[in-house]
């Protein structure tokens, strides 16, 4: 098996901030800089800035509360002062004293409020487009700019979302497509619209709370009250550039200007400010600061093979050699730890490649991913390992058990999908084309595939023999899976090809650990489970009844 090493300049981690999880991207050592993204995006948009600045600085870029992978604030409508207070808590959690702060649009508003309320934390402030909406503009934005985002049974909400994000590059406000609102921007690339959509899909309808906050914020004298060194910069093409004229009575420590030249000039001006004020910022290693605040329930472990994202539940009782239960969920579904997982054990749900935050495994579910899991388990000092798989990832589970050897005590195949060659080809032929399309058609393709998966057996010709006699799935349930499928992109198909290429029967026959197969009585899933049990010379051992909104019968085979 080949050894693959993935080197990533910018790292990602979850930190714990007063009971909330916050995702932070970071890199470098030196004077500290904090980068704040605009709404409704995430710190993903700051990656190029992090990588560039990390050569000389310690750079941190958190996802704003409620966006990306950061938990929302515990109030229905947080205000800009609430977001600034949450940011001050992030700085405290990282053990930092003073940082240079750079914010874009919403990030600029939050950064300025941070400088007003917590000046002891701000060595210098750079605002890239600071919003000062007047009363009429504010009301117009509040009236129609932020409609609810609710999954529809036909997936139409996804096409609306694609069109909405494309439109915001053409008109401001996007929902007022008048001549006066037309912007002089080129049309956005399909890749950019798709990336923005992934950000909002992570956030869901919660995007409105964080996006509404700057529209509600009405502090006409905020810039005039600054006591820290600040530069309020407006690119000539920025829709907020006219707001420069609304800034009045600026103190000597604040400089505001509008300039031509776009991003290159913005970078030049920002870098000059960072260099000027670097000696006032705390000097720190980002690795050390993030390690200090690392979350205990969500962890990204940077292995030699890639960044592996895990959900963790620590043992409920102390004691050496506590067992470890690893959960590998089906391709295209979110990682989760079952509510009935055993207490007194370390429980780990692994996010598959291109799922959740495990996005750096470009080769997919290959040997490198198996090695990464093994390295993470060694780092966490896991012992007495029990592997739980769902559906087709039985293939990944048995390869992991093969690699770990005697450290594995049991493996559970929950409703294993082990197909013959004809079934595999039928399945693969029905997978959606997830190549980003300029119309958003790839989003609808993902939606239709997930919804039809609930109604027909996807590895059979979708005729009368493949009908699943069930109610239609709830739109929210479909939407949750569509998010993971769309996030996978073209790696979705390659992941299925990889698991199908694994000979589960052959590897399982050579495993020395206990093997358990569990399946519902649903006709096709039961048939496939019996097929695997027969190939492994296993006998049906018991019938299990689980109560969850009704009694469900499950069949079990044991080796």
């Amino acid at each position: 098996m080949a050894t693959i090493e993935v080197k990533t300049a910018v790292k990602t981690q979850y930190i714990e901030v007063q009971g909330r999880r916050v995702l932070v991207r970071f890199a470098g050592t030196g004077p500290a800089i904090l980068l704040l993204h605009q709404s409704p995006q995430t710190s993903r948009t700051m990656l190029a800035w992090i990588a560039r600045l990390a050569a000389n600085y310690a750079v941190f870029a958190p996802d704003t509360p409620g966006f990306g992978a950061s938990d929302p604030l515990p109030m229905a409508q947080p205000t800009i002062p609430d977001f600034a207070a949450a940011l001050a808590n992030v700085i405290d959690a990282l053990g930092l004293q003073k940082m240079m702060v750079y914010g874009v649009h919403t990030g600029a508003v939050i950064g300025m409020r941070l400088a007003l309320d917590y000046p002891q934390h701000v060595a210098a402030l750079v605002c890239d487009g600071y919003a000062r909406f007047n009363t009429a503009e504010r009301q117009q934005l509040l009236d129609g700019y932020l409609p609810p985002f609710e999954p529809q049974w036909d997936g139409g909400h996804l096409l609306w979302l694609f069109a909405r994000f494309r439109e915001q590059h053409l008109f401001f406000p996007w929902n007022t497509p008048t001549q006066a609102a037309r912007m002089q921007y080129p049309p956005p690339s399909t890749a950019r619209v798709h990336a923005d959509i992934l950000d909002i899909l992570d956030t869901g309808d919660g995007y409105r709370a964080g996006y509404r906050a700057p529209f509600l914020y009405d502090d006409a004298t905020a810039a005039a009250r600054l006591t820290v060194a600040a530069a309020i910069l407006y690119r000539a093409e920025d829709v907020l550039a006219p707001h420069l004229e609304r800034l009045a009575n600026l103190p000597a420590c604040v400089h505001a200007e509008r300039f031509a030249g776009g991003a290159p000039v913005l970078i030049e001006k920002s870098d000059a400010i960072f260099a000027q004020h670097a000696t006032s910022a705390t000097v720190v290693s980002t690795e050390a600061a993030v390690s200090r605040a690392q979350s205990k329930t969500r962890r990204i472990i940077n292995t030699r093979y890639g960044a592996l994202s895990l959900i963790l539940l620590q043992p409920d009782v102390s004691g050496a050699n506590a067992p470890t239960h690893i959960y590998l969920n089906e391709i295209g579904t979110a990682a989760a730890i079952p509510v009935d997982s055993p207490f007194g054990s370390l429980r780990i749900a692994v996010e598959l490649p291109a799922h959740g935050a495990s996005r750096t495994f470009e080769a997919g579910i290959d040997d490198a991913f198996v090695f990464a899991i093994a390295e993470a388990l060694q780092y966490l000092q896991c012992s007495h390992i029990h592997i739980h798989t769902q559906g087709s990832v039985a293939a990944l589970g048995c390869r992991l058990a093969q690699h770990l050897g005697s450290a594995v005590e049991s493996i559970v195949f929950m409703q294993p999908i082990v197909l013959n060659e004809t079934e595999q080809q039928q399945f693969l032929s029905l997978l959606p084309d997830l190549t980003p399309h300029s119309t958003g058609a790839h989003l609808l393709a993902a939606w239709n595939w997930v919804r039809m998966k609930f109604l027909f057996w996807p590895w059979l010709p979708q005729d009368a023999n493949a009908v699943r006699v069930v109610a239609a799935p709830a739109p929210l349930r479909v939407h949750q899976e569509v998010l993971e499928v769309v996030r996978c992109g073209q790696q979705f198909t390659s992941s299925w090809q990889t698991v199908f290429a694994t000979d589960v029967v052959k590897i399982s026959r050579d495993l020395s650990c206990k093997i358990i197969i569990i399946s519902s009585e649903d006709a096709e899933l039961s048939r496939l489970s019996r097929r695997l049990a027969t190939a492994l010379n296993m006998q049906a051992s018991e019938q299990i009844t689980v109560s969850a909104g009704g009694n469900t019968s499950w069949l079990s085979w044991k080796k």
Side-chain angles (χ1 to χ4, degrees):
M1 293 188 290
T3 298
I4 303 172
E5 185 172 352
V6 179
K7 296 181 179 179
T8 306
V10 179
K11 295 183 179 179
T12 307
Q13 189 55 269
Y14 292 94
I15 63 173
E16 199 80 21
V17 181
Q18 294 194 338
R20 286 190 311 107
R21 280 195 304 266
V22 176
L23 185 133
V24 180
R25 290 179 168 89
F26 61 96
T29 296
I33 294 179
L34 183 65
L35 304 179
L36 307 177
H37 63 83
Q38 62 186 326
S39 298
Q41 298 177 324
T42 70
S43 58
R44 169 193 62 81
T45 59
M46 310 305 294
L47 282 171
W49 280 71
I50 303 170
R52 180 177 61 80
L53 291 169
N56 300 301
Y57 302 99
V59 190
F60 303 84
D63 284 352
T64 300
F67 291 94
S70 289
D71 291 341
L73 295 177
M75 63 273 293
Q77 181 49 68
T79 64
I80 290 299
D82 293 326
F83 282 105
L87 194 57
N89 291 334
V90 169
I91 295 172
D92 289 337
L94 292 170
L96 303 175
Q97 297 302 315
K98 277 197 170 185
M99 308 182 75
M100 293 178 285
V101 179
Y102 170 90
V104 186
H105 286 202
T106 306
V109 178
I110 297 172
M112 184 173 292
R113 188 71 201 201
L114 177 75
L116 285 172
D117 294 348
Y118 306 91
Q120 71 276 16
H121 281 321
V122 180
L125 171 67
V126 178
C127 294
D128 174 11
Y130 176 70
R132 273 298 305 126
F133 297 113
N134 61 36
T135 301
E137 292 167 342
R138 182 175 297 107
Q139 193 58 53
Q140 181 186 31
L141 292 168
L142 292 173
D143 284 345
Y145 196 84
L146 303 172
F149 181 64
E150 299 174 353
Q152 304 298 315
W153 74 271
D154 60 355
H157 62 294
L158 296 173
L159 293 182
W160 171 85
L161 185 65
F162 192 92
R164 179 253 183 272
F165 268 86
R166 182 180 57 209
E167 199 76 355
Q168 78 171 24
H169 293 271
L170 308 178
F171 297 93
F172 183 80
W174 72 268
N175 59 323
T176 308
T178 63
Q179 182 178 2
R182 185 68 167 92
M183 296 189 294
Q184 297 183 1
Y185 290 166
S189 68
T190 298
R192 176 168 182 178
V193 176
H194 178 75
D196 288 345
I197 281 174
L198 285 178
D199 286 342
I200 202 72
L201 287 177
D202 273 328
T203 304
D205 192 51
Y207 89 99
R208 293 191 292 159
Y211 213 167
R212 188 185 292 117
F215 299 159
L216 290 170
Y217 186 61
D218 185 14
D219 188 341
T221 65
R225 304 197 313 273
L226 285 171
T227 59
V228 303
I232 305 175
L233 307 177
Y234 294 95
R235 288 164 285 157
E237 69 274 16
D238 191 340
V239 295
L240 297 180
H243 293 206
L244 171 63
E245 301 170 4
R246 302 173 186 179
L247 302 178
N249 302 317
L250 297 180
C253 62
V254 179
H255 167 71
E257 68 169 304
R258 175 177 177 171
F259 56 87
V265 176
L266 171 67
I267 290 171
E268 179 183 338
K269 290 180 178 294
S270 300
D271 283 0
I273 295 167
F274 296 147
Q276 180 183 355
H277 297 280
T279 56
S280 299
T282 303
V283 175
V284 68
S285 157
T286 52
E287 290 273 7
V290 169
S291 177
R292 180 179 188 271
Q294 192 168 258
S295 171
K296 293 182 173 60
T297 58
R298 291 295 294 260
R299 187 79 59 83
I300 297 175
I301 297 179
N302 293 289
T303 73
R304 288 172 293 170
Y305 313 100
L308 185 70
S309 181
L310 307 173
I311 301 173
L312 302 171
L313 284 179
Q314 303 291 344
D316 300 85
V317 294
S318 60
N321 297 320
T324 300
H325 289 261
I326 304 168
Y327 297 91
L328 303 170
N329 281 18
E330 180 62 283
I331 297 169
T333 62
I337 296 174
V339 294
D340 60 349
S341 59
F343 291 165
S345 64
L346 172 60
R347 288 149 283 170
I348 303 173
V350 179
E351 292 189 310
L352 300 180
H355 294 63
S358 285
R359 303 182 192 180
T360 58
F361 289 86
E362 296 179 359
I365 306 177
D366 63 350
D367 290 337
F369 189 64
V370 174
F371 299 158
I373 298 175
E375 185 175 313
L377 295 177
Q378 183 178 20
Y379 171 79
L380 294 170
Q381 298 181 329
C382 296
S383 62
H384 305 288
I385 295 171
H386 303 264
I387 300 173
H388 303 258
T389 73
Q390 184 184 75
S392 69
V393 295
L396 173 61
C398 66
R399 284 162 55 204
L400 179 61
Q402 180 186 43
H403 181 69
L404 295 174
S406 60
V408 178
E409 297 187 355
S410 73
I411 184 167
V412 177
F413 298 135
M414 174 68 76
Q415 307 201 139
I417 300 177
V418 180
L419 308 183
N420 62 35
E421 186 173 346
T422 298
E423 293 166 340
Q424 290 176 15
Q425 293 307 311
Q426 290 171 342
F427 186 101
L428 293 172
S429 70
L430 293 171
L431 292 178
D433 181 0
L434 299 174
T435 305
H437 194 276
S438 60
T439 65
H442 61 295
L443 302 174
L444 195 56
W447 179 271
N448 288 330
W449 184 85
V450 172
R451 189 172 189 273
M452 297 299 277
K453 181 187 74 170
F454 285 98
L455 301 175
F456 291 89
W457 296 109
W459 55 85
L460 297 174
Q462 292 185 345
D463 55 23
N465 294 322
V467 170
R468 301 181 71 185
V469 184
V470 295
L476 182 58
R477 172 75 186 279
V478 178
H479 181 81
Q480 289 169 339
E481 289 200 21
V482 167
L483 170 56
E484 294 296 341
V485 171
V486 171
R487 189 161 25 219
C488 284
Q490 292 168 293
Q491 195 173 111
F492 188 61
T493 295
S494 64
S495 293
W496 285 104
Q497 291 171 331
T498 301
V499 296
F500 287 159
T502 299
D503 191 335
V504 173
V505 173
K506 182 178 185 301
I507 295 177
S508 297
R509 282 174 176 163
D510 294 334
L511 296 178
S512 58
C513 64
K514 180 191 296 184
I515 299 176
I516 302 171
I517 299 174
I518 300 176
S519 175
S520 69
E521 289 187 323
D522 193 294
E524 282 301 308
L525 292 175
S526 176
R527 180 178 71 84
L528 293 179
S529 294
R530 291 178 186 277
R531 171 193 289 177
L532 180 58
T534 299
L536 296 177
N537 297 316
M538 300 169 68
Q539 300 295 320
S541 60
E542 59 182 321
Q543 183 163 317
I544 309 167
T545 300
V546 180
S547 294
N551 291 331
T552 303
S553 295
W554 298 79
L555 305 175
S556 176
W557 293 262
K558 291 184 179 179
K559 179 180 176 181

